[in-house]
Coordinates of all heavy atoms in Angstrom, one line a residue:
M18 N 55.2 106.7 147.8 CA 56.6 107.3 147.6 C 56.6 107.8 146.1 O 56.1 107.3 145.3 CB 57.6 106.3 147.9 CG 59.0 106.8 147.6 SD 60.3 105.7 147.8 CE 60.3 105.2 149.5
N19 N 57.2 109.0 146.0 CA 57.4 109.5 144.7 C 58.5 108.9 143.9 O 59.4 108.5 144.5 CB 57.7 111.1 144.8 CG 56.7 111.9 145.3 OD1 55.4 111.5 145.2 ND2 56.9 113.0 145.9
Q20 N 58.3 108.7 142.6 CA 59.2 108.2 141.8 C 59.9 109.3 141.0 O 59.3 110.1 140.3 CB 58.6 107.3 140.7 CG 59.7 106.6 139.8 CD 59.0 105.7 138.8 OE1 57.9 105.5 138.7 NE2 59.8 105.2 137.8
I21 N 61.2 109.5 141.2 CA 62.0 110.6 140.6 C 62.9 109.9 139.4 O 63.6 109.0 139.7 CB 62.9 111.3 141.7 CG1 62.0 111.9 142.7 CG2 63.8 112.3 140.9 CD1 62.7 112.5 143.8
T22 N 62.7 110.5 138.3 CA 63.5 110.1 137.2 C 64.5 111.2 136.9 O 64.0 112.3 136.5 CB 62.6 109.7 135.9 OG1 61.7 108.8 136.3 CG2 63.4 109.3 134.8
R23 N 65.8 110.8 136.9 CA 66.8 111.8 136.6 C 67.2 111.6 135.1 O 67.5 110.5 134.6 CB 68.0 111.6 137.5 CG 67.6 111.9 138.9 CD 68.8 111.7 139.9 NE 70.0 112.3 139.4 CZ 71.2 112.2 140.0 NH1 71.3 111.4 141.0 NH2 72.2 112.8 139.5
T24 N 67.2 112.8 134.4 CA 67.8 112.8 133.0 C 68.8 113.9 132.8 O 68.7 114.9 133.5 CB 66.6 112.9 132.0 OG1 65.9 114.1 132.3 CG2 65.6 111.7 132.1
P25 N 69.6 113.8 131.8 CA 70.5 114.9 131.6 C 69.8 116.2 131.2 O 68.8 116.2 130.5 CB 71.4 114.3 130.4 CG 71.2 112.9 130.4 CD 69.9 112.6 130.9
L26 N 70.4 117.2 131.6 CA 69.8 118.6 131.4 C 69.6 118.7 129.9 O 68.6 119.4 129.5 CB 70.7 119.7 132.0 CG 70.2 121.1 132.0 CD1 68.9 121.2 132.7 CD2 71.2 122.2 132.5
R27 N 70.5 118.3 129.0 CA 70.4 118.5 127.6 C 69.1 117.9 127.1 O 68.7 118.2 126.0 CB 71.6 118.0 126.9 CG 71.7 116.4 126.9 CD 72.9 116.0 126.2 NE 73.2 114.5 126.4 CZ 73.7 113.9 127.3 NH1 74.3 114.7 128.3 NH2 73.8 112.6 127.5
N28 N 68.4 117.0 127.8 CA 67.2 116.4 127.3 C 66.0 117.2 127.7 O 64.9 116.8 127.3 CB 67.0 115.0 127.9 CG 68.1 114.0 127.2 OD1 68.8 114.4 126.4 ND2 68.1 112.8 127.8
L29 N 66.2 118.2 128.5 CA 65.0 119.1 128.9 C 64.3 119.7 127.7 O 64.9 120.2 126.8 CB 65.4 120.2 129.9 CG 64.4 121.0 130.6 CD1 63.6 120.1 131.5 CD2 65.1 122.0 131.4
G30 N 63.0 119.5 127.6 CA 62.3 120.1 126.5 C 62.2 119.0 125.4 O 61.5 119.4 124.3
Y31 N 62.6 117.8 125.5 CA 62.7 116.9 124.4 C 62.2 115.5 125.0 O 62.3 115.3 126.2 CB 64.0 116.7 123.7 CG 64.5 118.0 123.2 CD1 65.5 118.7 123.9 CD2 64.1 118.4 122.0 CE1 66.0 119.9 123.3 CE2 64.7 119.5 121.4 CZ 65.6 120.3 122.1 OH 66.1 121.4 121.6
D32 N 61.7 114.7 124.1 CA 61.3 113.3 124.5 C 60.4 113.2 125.6 O 60.4 112.4 126.4 CB 62.6 112.5 124.7 CG 63.6 112.5 123.6 OD1 63.1 112.5 122.4 OD2 64.8 112.5 123.8
F33 N 59.4 114.1 125.8 CA 58.4 114.1 126.8 C 57.2 113.2 126.5 O 56.4 112.9 127.3 CB 58.0 115.5 127.2 CG 57.6 116.3 126.1 CD1 56.3 116.4 125.6 CD2 58.6 117.2 125.5 CE1 55.9 117.2 124.6 CE2 58.2 118.0 124.5 CZ 56.9 118.0 123.9
I34 N 57.1 112.8 125.2 CA 56.1 111.9 124.7 C 56.9 110.6 124.2 O 57.6 110.8 123.2 CB 55.1 112.4 123.7 CG1 54.4 113.6 124.2 CG2 54.2 111.4 123.2 CD1 53.5 114.3 123.1
P35 N 56.6 109.5 124.8 CA 57.3 108.3 124.4 C 56.9 107.9 123.0 O 55.8 108.2 122.5 CB 56.9 107.2 125.3 CG 56.4 107.9 126.5 CD 55.8 109.2 126.1
P36 N 57.9 107.6 122.1 CA 57.7 107.3 120.7 C 56.5 106.4 120.4 O 55.8 106.6 119.4 CB 59.0 106.7 120.2 CG 60.0 107.1 121.2 CD 59.3 107.2 122.5
E37 N 56.3 105.5 121.2 CA 55.1 104.6 121.0 C 53.7 105.3 121.1 O 52.7 104.7 120.6 CB 55.0 103.3 121.9 CG 55.0 103.7 123.4 CD 56.3 103.9 124.1 OE1 57.3 104.0 123.5 OE2 56.3 103.8 125.3
Y38 N 53.6 106.4 121.6 CA 52.4 107.2 121.7 C 52.3 108.2 120.6 O 51.3 109.0 120.5 CB 52.2 107.9 123.1 CG 52.2 106.9 124.2 CD1 53.2 106.6 125.1 CD2 51.0 106.1 124.4 CE1 53.1 105.7 126.0 CE2 50.9 105.1 125.3 CZ 51.9 104.9 126.2 OH 51.9 104.0 127.2
L39 N 53.3 108.4 119.8 CA 53.2 109.5 118.7 C 52.6 108.8 117.4 O 53.1 107.7 117.0 CB 54.6 109.9 118.4 CG 55.3 110.8 119.5 CD1 56.7 111.1 119.1 CD2 54.5 112.1 119.6
P40 N 51.6 109.4 116.9 CA 51.1 108.9 115.5 C 52.3 108.9 114.4 O 53.2 109.8 114.5 CB 50.0 109.9 115.2 CG 49.7 110.6 116.4 CD 50.9 110.5 117.3
E41 N 52.2 108.1 113.5 CA 53.1 108.0 112.6 C 53.2 109.3 111.8 O 52.3 109.9 111.4 CB 52.7 106.9 111.5 CG 53.8 106.6 110.5 CD 53.5 105.4 109.5 OE1 52.8 104.6 109.9 OE2 54.0 105.5 108.4
G42 N 54.5 109.8 111.6 CA 54.8 111.0 110.9 C 54.7 112.3 111.9 O 54.8 113.4 111.3
K43 N 54.4 112.1 113.0 CA 54.2 113.3 113.9 C 55.4 113.3 114.9 O 55.9 112.3 115.3 CB 52.9 113.1 114.8 CG 51.6 113.0 113.9 CD 51.3 114.3 113.3 CE 50.0 114.2 112.6 NZ 49.6 115.5 111.9
D44 N 55.7 114.5 115.3 CA 56.7 114.7 116.4 C 56.1 115.1 117.6 O 54.9 115.1 117.8 CB 57.7 115.9 116.0 CG 57.2 117.2 115.9 OD1 56.0 117.4 116.4 OD2 57.8 118.1 115.2
E45 N 56.8 115.2 118.7 CA 56.3 115.5 120.1 C 55.7 116.8 120.2 O 55.0 117.1 121.2 CB 57.4 115.2 121.1 CG 58.7 116.2 120.9 CD 59.8 115.8 121.8 OE1 59.6 115.0 122.7 OE2 60.9 116.4 121.5
Y46 N 55.7 117.7 119.3 CA 55.2 119.0 119.3 C 53.8 119.1 118.5 O 53.2 120.2 118.5 CB 56.2 120.1 118.8 CG 57.5 120.0 119.6 CD1 58.5 119.7 118.9 CD2 57.5 120.5 120.9 CE1 59.8 119.7 119.6 CE2 58.7 120.5 121.6 CZ 59.8 120.1 121.0 OH 61.0 120.1 121.7
Y47 N 53.4 118.0 117.9 CA 52.2 118.1 117.0 C 50.9 118.6 117.7 O 50.2 119.4 117.2 CB 52.0 116.8 116.3 CG 51.2 115.7 117.0 CD1 49.8 115.6 116.8 CD2 51.8 114.9 118.0 CE1 49.1 114.6 117.4 CE2 51.1 114.0 118.6 CZ 49.7 113.8 118.3 OH 49.1 112.8 119.0
L48 N 50.7 118.1 119.0 CA 49.5 118.6 119.8 C 49.6 120.0 120.2 O 48.6 120.8 120.0 CB 49.3 117.7 121.0 CG 48.9 116.3 120.7 CD1 48.8 115.5 122.1 CD2 47.5 116.3 120.2
R49 N 50.7 120.4 120.5 CA 51.0 121.9 120.8 C 50.8 122.7 119.7 O 50.1 123.7 119.7 CB 52.4 122.0 121.4 CG 52.8 123.3 121.8 CD 54.1 123.3 122.3 NE 54.6 124.6 122.8 CZ 55.8 124.9 123.1 NH1 56.7 123.9 123.3 NH2 56.2 126.2 123.4
N50 N 51.2 122.3 118.5 CA 51.0 123.1 117.3 C 49.5 123.1 116.9 O 49.0 124.2 116.4 CB 51.9 122.5 116.2 CG 53.4 122.7 116.4 OD1 53.8 123.6 117.1 ND2 54.2 121.9 115.8
M51 N 48.8 122.1 117.2 CA 47.3 122.1 116.8 C 46.6 123.0 117.7 O 45.6 123.6 117.4 CB 46.7 120.7 116.9 CG 47.1 119.7 115.8 SD 46.5 118.0 116.0 CE 45.2 118.0 117.1
Q52 N 47.0 123.2 119.0 CA 46.4 124.0 119.9 C 46.6 125.5 119.7 O 45.9 126.3 120.2 CB 46.8 123.7 121.4 CG 46.5 122.3 121.8 CD 47.1 121.9 123.1 OE1 48.0 122.5 123.5 NE2 46.6 120.9 123.8
N53 N 47.6 125.9 118.9 CA 47.9 127.2 118.6 C 47.0 127.6 117.3 O 47.4 127.9 116.3 CB 49.3 127.4 118.1 CG 49.8 128.8 117.8 OD1 49.1 129.8 118.4 ND2 50.7 129.0 116.9
K54 N 45.7 127.9 117.7 CA 44.7 128.2 116.7 C 44.5 129.7 116.6 O 43.7 130.1 115.8 CB 43.4 127.5 117.1 CG 43.4 126.0 117.0 CD 42.1 125.4 117.3 CE 42.3 123.9 117.2 NZ 41.1 123.2 117.2
N55 N 45.3 130.4 117.3 CA 45.0 131.9 117.3 C 45.8 132.4 115.9 O 46.5 131.7 115.3 CB 45.6 132.7 118.5 CG 47.1 132.3 118.7 OD1 47.8 132.0 117.9 ND2 47.4 132.4 120.0
V56 N 45.7 133.7 115.7 CA 46.3 134.1 114.4 C 47.6 134.7 114.5 O 48.2 135.3 113.7 CB 45.3 135.3 113.8 CG1 44.0 134.8 113.5 CG2 45.2 136.4 114.9
I57 N 48.3 134.4 115.7 CA 49.6 134.8 115.8 C 50.5 134.0 114.9 O 50.5 132.8 115.0 CB 50.1 134.7 117.4 CG1 49.2 135.6 118.3 CG2 51.6 135.0 117.5 CD1 49.5 135.4 119.7
S58 N 51.4 134.6 114.2 CA 52.4 133.9 113.4 C 53.8 134.0 114.0 O 54.1 135.2 114.5 CB 52.3 134.4 111.9 OG 52.7 135.7 111.8
Y59 N 54.4 133.0 114.1 CA 55.8 133.0 114.6 C 56.9 132.7 113.5 O 56.5 132.1 112.5 CB 55.9 131.8 115.5 CG 55.1 132.1 116.8 CD1 53.8 131.6 116.9 CD2 55.5 132.7 118.0 CE1 53.0 131.8 117.9 CE2 54.8 132.9 119.1 CZ 53.5 132.5 119.1 OH 52.7 132.7 120.2
R60 N 58.0 133.3 113.8 CA 59.1 133.2 112.8 C 60.4 132.7 113.5 O 60.4 132.9 114.8 CB 59.3 134.5 112.0 CG 59.7 135.6 113.0 CD 60.0 136.9 112.2 NE 60.2 138.0 113.1 CZ 61.4 138.2 113.9 NH1 62.3 137.2 113.8 NH2 61.5 139.2 114.6
H61 N 61.4 132.2 112.7 CA 62.7 132.0 113.4 C 63.4 133.4 113.6 O 63.1 134.4 113.1 CB 63.5 131.2 112.4 CG 63.1 129.8 112.1 ND1 63.2 128.7 113.1 CD2 62.3 129.3 111.2 CE1 62.7 127.8 112.7 NE2 62.1 127.9 111.5
L62 N 64.3 133.2 114.6 CA 65.1 134.4 115.0 C 66.1 134.7 113.8 O 66.5 133.9 113.2 CB 65.9 134.1 116.3 CG 65.2 133.9 117.6 CD1 66.1 133.2 118.6 CD2 64.6 135.2 118.0
T63 N 66.3 136.1 113.7 CA 67.3 136.4 112.8 C 68.7 136.3 113.4 O 68.8 136.1 114.8 CB 67.2 138.0 112.5 OG1 67.4 138.8 113.7 CG2 65.8 138.3 111.9
F64 N 69.7 136.4 112.7 CA 71.1 136.2 113.2 C 71.4 137.3 114.3 O 71.9 137.1 115.4 CB 72.1 136.4 112.1 CG 73.5 136.4 112.6 CD1 74.2 135.2 112.8 CD2 74.3 137.5 112.7 CE1 75.5 135.2 113.3 CE2 75.6 137.6 113.2 CZ 76.2 136.3 113.5
D65 N 70.9 138.6 114.0 CA 71.2 139.7 114.9 C 70.4 139.5 116.2 O 70.9 139.9 117.3 CB 70.7 141.0 114.3 CG 71.7 141.5 113.2 OD1 72.9 141.0 113.2 OD2 71.4 142.2 112.3
E66 N 69.3 139.0 116.1 CA 68.5 138.7 117.3 C 69.1 137.6 118.2 O 69.1 137.8 119.4 CB 67.1 138.2 117.0 CG 66.1 139.4 116.5 CD 64.9 138.9 115.9 OE1 64.8 137.8 115.4 OE2 63.9 139.8 115.9
V67 N 69.6 136.6 117.6 CA 70.4 135.6 118.3 C 71.5 136.1 119.0 O 71.8 135.9 120.2 CB 70.8 134.3 117.4 CG1 71.7 133.4 118.2 CG2 69.6 133.6 116.9
E68 N 72.3 137.0 118.3 CA 73.5 137.6 118.9 C 73.1 138.5 120.1 O 73.9 138.6 121.1 CB 74.3 138.4 117.8 CG 74.9 137.5 116.8 CD 75.8 136.5 117.3 OE1 76.8 136.9 118.1 OE2 75.7 135.3 117.0
E69 N 72.0 139.3 119.9 CA 71.6 140.1 121.0 C 71.2 139.3 122.2 O 71.5 139.6 123.4 CB 70.4 141.0 120.5 CG 69.8 141.9 121.6 CD 70.5 143.2 121.9 OE1 71.3 143.6 121.0 OE2 70.3 143.7 122.9
L70 N 70.5 138.2 122.0 CA 70.1 137.3 123.1 C 71.3 136.7 123.8 O 71.4 136.7 125.1 CB 69.2 136.2 122.6 CG 67.7 136.7 122.1 CD1 67.1 135.5 121.4 CD2 66.9 137.1 123.4
K71 N 72.3 136.4 123.0 CA 73.5 135.7 123.6 C 74.2 136.8 124.4 O 74.7 136.6 125.6 CB 74.5 135.2 122.5 CG 74.0 134.0 121.9 CD 74.9 133.5 120.8 CE 74.5 132.3 120.2 NZ 75.5 131.9 119.0
K72 N 74.3 138.0 123.9 CA 75.0 139.2 124.6 C 74.3 139.5 125.9 O 75.0 139.8 126.9 CB 74.9 140.4 123.7 CG 75.7 141.6 124.2 CD 75.6 142.8 123.3 CE 74.4 143.5 123.6 NZ 74.1 144.7 123.0
N73 N 73.0 139.2 126.0 CA 72.3 139.5 127.3 C 72.3 138.2 128.1 O 71.5 138.2 129.1 CB 70.8 139.8 126.9 CG 70.7 141.2 126.3 OD1 71.6 142.0 126.4 ND2 69.6 141.4 125.6
G74 N 73.2 137.3 128.0 CA 73.3 136.2 128.8 C 72.3 135.0 128.7 O 72.2 134.3 129.6
N75 N 71.6 135.0 127.5 CA 70.7 133.9 127.2 C 71.4 132.8 126.6 O 72.4 133.0 125.9 CB 69.5 134.5 126.3 CG 68.8 135.7 127.0 OD1 68.1 135.4 127.9 ND2 69.0 136.8 126.4
K76 N 70.8 131.6 126.7 CA 71.3 130.4 126.1 C 70.2 129.5 125.5 O 69.1 129.6 126.0 CB 72.1 129.5 127.2 CG 73.3 130.2 127.8 CD 73.9 129.4 128.9 CE 75.1 130.1 129.5 NZ 75.6 129.3 130.7
S77 N 70.6 128.7 124.5 CA 69.6 127.8 124.0 C 70.4 126.5 123.4 O 71.5 126.7 123.0 CB 68.9 128.4 122.8 OG 68.0 127.4 122.2
D78 N 69.8 125.4 123.7 CA 70.4 124.2 123.2 C 70.2 124.1 121.8 O 71.2 123.5 121.0 CB 69.8 122.9 123.9 CG 68.3 122.8 123.6 OD1 67.6 123.8 123.6 OD2 68.0 121.7 123.3
D79 N 69.4 124.9 121.1 CA 69.2 124.9 119.7 C 68.4 126.2 119.3 O 67.1 126.2 119.4 CB 68.6 123.7 119.1 CG 68.6 123.6 117.5 OD1 68.7 124.7 117.0 OD2 68.4 122.6 117.0
W80 N 69.0 127.2 118.8 CA 68.3 128.5 118.6 C 67.2 128.3 117.4 O 66.4 129.2 117.3 CB 69.3 129.6 118.3 CG 70.2 130.1 119.3 CD1 71.5 129.8 119.7 CD2 69.7 130.9 120.4 NE1 71.8 130.4 120.7 CE2 70.8 131.0 121.3 CE3 68.5 131.5 120.8 CZ2 70.7 131.8 122.5 CZ3 68.4 132.2 122.0 CH2 69.5 132.3 122.8
N81 N 67.4 127.3 116.7 CA 66.4 127.1 115.6 C 65.0 126.7 116.1 O 64.0 126.8 115.4 CB 66.9 126.0 114.6 CG 68.1 126.3 113.8 OD1 68.1 127.4 113.2 ND2 69.1 125.5 113.8
F82 N 64.9 126.3 117.4 CA 63.7 125.9 118.1 C 63.1 127.1 118.8 O 62.0 127.0 119.3 CB 63.9 124.8 119.0 CG 63.9 123.4 118.3 CD1 65.1 122.7 118.4 CD2 62.9 122.8 117.7 CE1 65.2 121.5 117.8 CE2 62.9 121.6 117.2 CZ 64.1 120.9 117.2
V83 N 63.6 128.3 118.7 CA 63.1 129.4 119.4 C 62.4 130.3 118.3 O 63.1 130.7 117.3 CB 64.1 130.3 120.1 CG1 63.6 131.5 120.7 CG2 64.9 129.4 121.1
M84 N 61.1 130.4 118.4 CA 60.3 131.2 117.5 C 59.8 132.4 118.1 O 59.4 132.4 119.3 CB 59.2 130.2 116.9 CG 59.6 129.0 116.3 SD 60.3 129.1 114.8 CE 58.8 129.4 113.7
V85 N 59.6 133.5 117.4 CA 59.1 134.7 117.9 C 58.1 135.4 117.0 O 58.0 135.0 115.8 CB 60.3 135.7 118.2 CG1 61.3 135.2 119.1 CG2 61.0 136.1 116.9
T86 N 57.4 136.4 117.5 CA 56.5 137.2 116.7 C 57.3 138.3 116.1 O 58.4 138.6 116.6 CB 55.2 137.7 117.4 OG1 55.8 138.5 118.5 CG2 54.5 136.6 118.0
D87 N 56.6 139.1 115.2 CA 57.4 140.3 114.7 C 57.5 141.4 115.8 O 58.3 142.3 115.6 CB 56.6 140.9 113.5 CG 56.9 139.9 112.2 OD1 58.0 139.3 112.3 OD2 56.0 140.0 111.4
A88 N 56.7 141.3 116.9 CA 56.8 142.3 117.9 C 57.8 141.9 118.9 O 57.8 142.4 120.1 CB 55.4 142.5 118.5
F89 N 58.7 141.1 118.6 CA 59.7 140.6 119.7 C 60.8 141.6 119.8 O 61.3 142.1 118.8 CB 60.3 139.3 119.1 CG 61.4 138.8 119.9 CD1 61.3 138.3 121.2 CD2 62.7 138.7 119.4 CE1 62.4 137.8 121.9 CE2 63.8 138.2 120.1 CZ 63.6 137.8 121.4
L90 N 61.2 141.9 121.0 CA 62.3 142.8 121.4 C 63.3 142.0 122.1 O 63.2 141.8 123.3 CB 61.8 144.0 122.1 CG 60.8 144.8 121.5 CD1 60.2 145.9 122.5 CD2 61.4 145.5 120.3
P91 N 64.4 141.6 121.4 CA 65.5 140.7 122.1 C 66.1 141.4 123.2 O 66.6 140.7 124.2 CB 66.4 140.4 121.0 CG 66.2 141.4 120.0 CD 64.8 141.9 120.1
E92 N 66.2 142.7 123.3 CA 66.9 143.4 124.4 C 66.1 143.3 125.7 O 66.7 143.6 126.8 CB 67.1 144.9 124.1 CG 65.9 145.6 123.8 CD 65.4 145.7 122.4 OE1 65.7 144.8 121.5 OE2 64.6 146.6 122.1
L93 N 64.9 142.9 125.7 CA 64.0 142.7 126.9 C 64.3 141.4 127.5 O 63.7 141.1 128.7 CB 62.6 143.0 126.6 CG 62.3 144.4 126.1 CD1 60.8 144.5 125.9 CD2 62.7 145.4 127.1
V94 N 65.0 140.4 126.9 CA 65.1 139.1 127.4 C 66.5 138.9 127.9 O 67.5 139.0 127.2 CB 64.8 138.1 126.3 CG1 64.9 136.5 126.8 CG2 63.5 138.3 125.7
Q95 N 66.7 138.7 129.3 CA 68.0 138.5 129.9 C 68.1 137.3 130.8 O 67.1 136.9 131.5 CB 68.2 139.7 130.6 CG 68.2 141.0 129.9 CD 68.5 142.2 130.7 OE1 68.7 142.1 131.8 NE2 68.5 143.3 130.0
H96 N 69.2 136.6 130.7 CA 69.6 135.5 131.5 C 68.6 134.4 131.6 O 68.1 133.9 132.6 CB 69.9 136.1 132.9 CG 70.8 137.2 133.0 ND1 72.2 137.0 132.7 CD2 70.6 138.4 133.2 CE1 72.8 138.2 132.7 NE2 71.9 139.1 133.1
C97 N 68.2 134.0 130.4 CA 67.2 132.8 130.2 C 67.9 131.7 129.6 O 68.7 131.8 128.7 CB 66.0 133.2 129.4 SG 65.0 134.6 130.2
N98 N 67.4 130.5 129.9 CA 67.8 129.3 129.2 C 66.6 128.7 128.5 O 65.6 128.4 129.1 CB 68.3 128.2 130.1 CG 69.7 128.6 130.9 OD1 70.6 129.2 130.2 ND2 69.8 128.4 132.1
F99 N 66.7 128.4 127.2 CA 65.7 127.8 126.4 C 66.0 126.4 126.0 O 67.1 126.1 125.5 CB 65.6 128.7 125.1 CG 65.2 130.1 125.3 CD1 66.1 131.1 125.0 CD2 64.0 130.6 125.9 CE1 65.8 132.5 125.3 CE2 63.7 131.9 126.2 CZ 64.7 132.9 125.9
F100 N 65.0 125.5 126.2 CA 65.2 124.1 125.9 C 63.9 123.7 125.0 O 62.8 124.0 125.4 CB 65.2 123.3 127.2 CG 66.4 123.6 128.0 CD1 66.3 124.5 129.1 CD2 67.6 123.0 127.8 CE1 67.3 124.8 129.9 CE2 68.6 123.4 128.7 CZ 68.5 124.1 129.7
G101 N 64.2 123.0 123.9 CA 63.1 122.5 123.2 C 62.4 123.6 122.4 O 63.0 124.7 122.1
S102 N 61.2 123.4 122.0 CA 60.4 124.2 121.3 C 59.9 125.5 122.1 O 59.2 125.2 123.1 CB 59.2 123.6 120.6 OG 58.4 124.5 119.8
V103 N 60.3 126.6 121.8 CA 59.9 127.9 122.5 C 59.3 128.9 121.6 O 59.8 129.0 120.6 CB 61.2 128.5 123.2 CG1 60.9 129.7 123.9 CG2 61.9 127.4 124.1
R104 N 58.2 129.4 122.1 CA 57.5 130.5 121.3 C 57.4 131.8 122.3 O 57.0 131.6 123.4 CB 56.1 130.2 120.9 CG 56.1 129.0 119.9 CD 54.6 128.9 119.5 NE 54.5 127.5 118.8 CZ 53.5 126.7 119.1 NH1 52.6 127.0 119.9 NH2 53.4 125.6 118.4
I105 N 57.9 132.8 121.7 CA 57.9 134.1 122.4 C 57.0 135.1 121.7 O 57.4 135.4 120.5 CB 59.4 134.7 122.7 CG1 60.2 133.7 123.4 CG2 59.2 136.0 123.5 CD1 61.7 134.1 123.5
G106 N 56.1 135.6 122.4 CA 55.1 136.5 121.7 C 55.5 137.9 121.8 O 56.7 138.2 122.0
K107 N 54.6 138.8 121.7 CA 54.9 140.3 121.8 C 55.4 140.6 123.1 O 55.0 140.3 124.2 CB 53.5 141.0 121.6 CG 53.6 142.5 121.6 CD 52.3 143.2 121.4 CE 52.3 144.7 121.4 NZ 50.9 145.2 121.1
L108 N 56.6 141.4 123.1 CA 57.2 142.0 124.2 C 57.2 143.5 124.2 O 57.4 144.1 123.1 CB 58.7 141.5 124.3 CG 58.9 140.0 124.5 CD1 60.3 139.8 124.6 CD2 58.3 139.5 125.8
E109 N 57.0 144.1 125.3 CA 56.8 145.5 125.3 C 57.7 146.0 126.5 O 57.7 145.4 127.6 CB 55.4 146.0 125.5 CG 54.5 145.7 124.2 CD 53.1 146.2 124.5 OE1 52.5 145.7 125.5 OE2 52.6 146.9 123.7
P110 N 58.3 147.2 126.5 CA 59.2 147.6 127.6 C 58.4 148.5 128.6 O 58.7 149.5 129.1 CB 60.1 148.5 126.9 CG 59.3 149.2 125.7 CD 58.5 148.1 125.3
Y111 N 57.3 147.7 129.2 CA 56.5 148.3 130.3 C 56.7 147.5 131.5 O 56.7 146.3 131.4 CB 55.0 148.5 129.8 CG 54.9 149.2 128.6 CD1 54.5 148.7 127.4 CD2 54.9 150.6 128.6 CE1 54.3 149.5 126.3 CE2 54.8 151.5 127.5 CZ 54.4 150.8 126.3 OH 54.2 151.6 125.2

């Protein structure tokens, strides 16, 4: 039989590694960040980008966790919900 654990939606994207398994001084994203060995650099969203995303029906529990590349086009992202640490790479209108 499957074991189903129900948690509040606001917890989606967080607390997926129990604290006892995290090395001291590390957060739950440390392995993910180590795996990002490519040369792509990410930055925080600008105020205008956040406003454009909201205007297009997007939501985030914390916009500070949404990182993008310089080739990000917010007008191409519509009706998405972002939870936890999110990275969005190059977007093109094709």
